Amino acid sequence: MSDFIRRIAIVGGTHGNELTGIYLIKKFQQFPHLLHRQSLECITVLANPEAIAVNQRYIDRDLNRCFANEDLANPALTGYEDRRAKEIATQLGPKSQPQADVIIDLHSTTANMGLTVLPSSKHPFNLRLAAYLSALNPLVRVCCGVQCNQDAPMLRSLSPLGCTVEVGAIAQGVLNADYLQQTELLVHAILDYIDALNQGEILSVPSSLNVYQIMSSVDYPRDSSGELQAVIHPHLQFKDYEPLCDGEPMFLKFTGESIPYRGENTVYPIFINEAAYYEKKIAMTLTRKQQLRLETV
Amino acid sequence: MSDFIRRIAIVGGTHGNELTGIYLIKKFQQFPHLLHRQSLECITVLANPEAIAVNQRYIDRDLNRCFANEDLANPALTGYEDRRAKEIATQLGPKSQPQADVIIDLHSTTANMGLTVLPSSKHPFNLRLAAYLSALNPLVRVCCGVQCNQDAPMLRSLSPLGCTVEVGAIAQGVLNADYLQQTELLVHAILDYIDALNQGEILSVPSSLNVYQIMSSVDYPRDSSGELQAVIHPHLQFKDYEPLCDGEPMFLKFTGESIPYRGENTVYPIFINEAAYYEKKIAMTLTRKQQLRLETV
């Protein structure tokens, strides 16, 4: 990373039915002056045009799992998303020397995750940016994936700098004006932050940051044929980022019994009841909350 | 209609990504005793198995628009849903002499419509049932379609008796425990009501009923190529069944301007921001509220 960050890629429509990112990118393409910053060049990418056209998450497989190095290098993977991943990697990558200094990938979720930032790595730049954004807007939460580095198969992993943004709860195929506006403000805050950094401006960044570190995921209770036997318990529905303690209800079986969470440690579930994760066998993702001290620059 | 109603069809999965009805039907099929009523025979139908398998609304076209008489009689219509509609009409119909006395078709919506009952016709049986259900649960609202009769192309039109149930706001592809439970309670209340009627029990039914009568629909503002130019205004989002008066905000353009509702009469919008209606060019449906006096039996 040079002292200056010049080229920012803002990506939407990695999933074709997450309209927030798609319509923000369309708006930025229609009104490019919105992205003008003195020290920056911003490029916009609609990542999965065929999925967008049919308003589905993907055509052949989840594009946001196609960016593992070995998959990008594998000519035998010829499905639509695998081809598209290679094109995007050519445009923004390669991972070893990305052409986009920072990648911001805009997503939405049916879980009640408010405004979540998932940094592409724990690079000090990303953590300070995340701390700046959380201080600016207390509704912003910061979550680190299990693979919070460039080994991850997500689009964001093409660069070590940047993040995925998840906003919700929003139904697939729906535009929500509030979240559209909040996501746009977040993008502007990121650009303003980087532009100020480039110009040597002293920005106030907190000295610590609360991070939700993903540990594991939990599937729905299923029978031997894989059929669901329970749903998210009503006490847990829409309670993303709230503490869940041993014995508290997690699922409700169709027969009426509650299934509690069992674990010594309090966890903070997120992606609770994300529509796209039923097929991935994820009912929710468990995180632990931790406070990181930030390096001073 | 005979004095007795014997055969009730409970239908789910007319749209393959509306999981509430699908999982209720699966539950009823797994635990058929739940539907046992002394005077009734209940049959359950998963209407669109191929769409359910791929978690999409439909394969070729909206099954719930395939039940117009002319389409059912048209052998040239051979898409999956057209074939399925003919099979269902053979099982539950024909419209002129349905084998199912009452049809209850279970749907969900991304609009905030709570528990909505759309009667298949204004037959006194349906209106009294709707009045009974609203009195039992004040969250139940009753809405009559533009075609509130057997000329409608909906599955429910196979019989003059029964209704569509719409619950929401629920994202497509998601199960919500609360709405699952409320929908099940509604089905039980309907069966109990009919069973009591058959047995000559005197049921308390209000003498009048508030009905939301659908008048027209409103599309999103679009440019000449059909591209959206605005979203539902944040003041209107999730405000289904609330009054909307002349001059109040309806849409918010991507450029930031509000577009107000213009009309002499106060309207009550429903299906606000239903995901599946973007392609139908329906941003919301306008209703007027009216009070019906019910015939005494």
Side-chain angles (χ1 to χ4, degrees), chain A residues 32-59:
Chain A
H33 68 276
L34 293 172
L35 298 180
H36 284 178
R37 298 296 185 283
Q38 203 182 322
S39 68
L40 300 179
E41 178 200 356
C42 290
I43 56 174
T44 53
V45 179
L46 282 173
N48 198 332
E50 288 202 8
I52 294 168
V54 294
N55 192 26
Q56 288 175 20
R57 184 175 176 89
Y58 57 79
I59 302 295

Side-chain angles (χ1 to χ4, degrees), chain B residues 67-70 72 92-101 103 119-123 126 147-161:
Chain B
F67 291 87
N69 268 326
E70 63 193 49
L72 289 173
L92 307 181
K95 289 192 182 191
S96 54
Q97 200 176 357
Q99 298 168 75
D101 299 317
I103 297 174
S120 305
S121 73
K122 287 181 178 166
H123 191 290
N126 288 337
Q147 283 179 293
C148 190
N149 57 49
Q150 285 193 276
D151 292 340
M154 284 80 174
L155 188 150
R156 65 172 182 253
S157 69
L158 288 174
S159 168
L161 306 188

